Amino acid sequence: MLIGTQDQVAAAIGSDPRLGAWLVRRSGDGWLELETKRSLTRAKAPLLLVLAWPAVWRDPVAARPHLLRARSGNYALMLVGTDDDFTAAGATALAEDADVAALAVPASIERLALALRARAEASALRQIAAGLELELAQAQHENRLLIETGRALSQQRDMGSLLEIILRQARDVTGADAGSVYIVLGDDDAVERSLRFMV
């Protein structure tokens, strides 16, 4: 059986076990928003995928919200149509900087299931890559802070200024709004020790 219309795809997702990993979350004229029910990919959270038919993706106003979300990185967009639809509309321009793929219809349930899974996997990998980029940027920032702190410590001789530098950099690295530095006064005997506020 070949399917191609929005209603046929929605019915197949609700009834065919080969599409059991998906559920229809929302729909509108010419589009369906699907969500993964269970872990289909490497992503930790459920993935969202919108299938958009030519009535939506050919109209810049109707396509705009879907393209904006597809550019955000946590939402994939799959353009659905015939080869003639894609050729006539110049669909490749829509995929410039967004998570966009295409599905030619009519398609078998097997091809639809494979296309959805491939799109979900690609979207999950994109999200993982974005997370790794953020972690790398944070690590580079922290590394720069440590180098700056080391330089400042080697140039500064005043104890009060040194402690202020240490506290400021510690707040930057941890993202804290405030902090304090205390020093321990006294000898090795714990009874004779005391804390003194410094910064």
Side-chain angles (χ1 to χ4, degrees), residues 21-25 33-38 46-49:
W22 297 92
L23 61 89
V24 176
R25 186 171 176 213
E33 182 176 283
L34 308 180
E35 181 178 10
T36 53
K37 283 188 197 176
R38 53 184 155 72
L47 294 169
L48 299 178
L49 170 63

Side-chain angles (χ1 to χ4, degrees), residues 66-140:
H66 300 297
L67 284 170
L68 287 174
R69 290 180 70 193
R71 288 182 183 117
S72 73
N74 61 350
Y75 179 99
L77 178 61
M78 184 173 282
L79 309 178
V80 181
T82 65
D83 283 336
D84 291 339
D85 291 329
F86 294 122
T87 304
T92 53
L94 296 173
E96 294 282 323
D97 61 345
D99 191 0
V100 176
L103 174 65
V105 290
S108 65
I109 299 269
E110 290 82 5
R111 187 163 52 138
L112 176 62
L114 287 171
L116 293 178
R117 180 166 185 107
R119 182 76 304 199
E121 187 66 33
S123 186
L125 290 173
R126 188 177 174 134
Q127 288 179 19
I128 290 167
L132 290 173
E133 284 179 23
L134 285 174
E135 288 177 22
L136 177 61
Q138 179 64 28
Q140 288 172 336

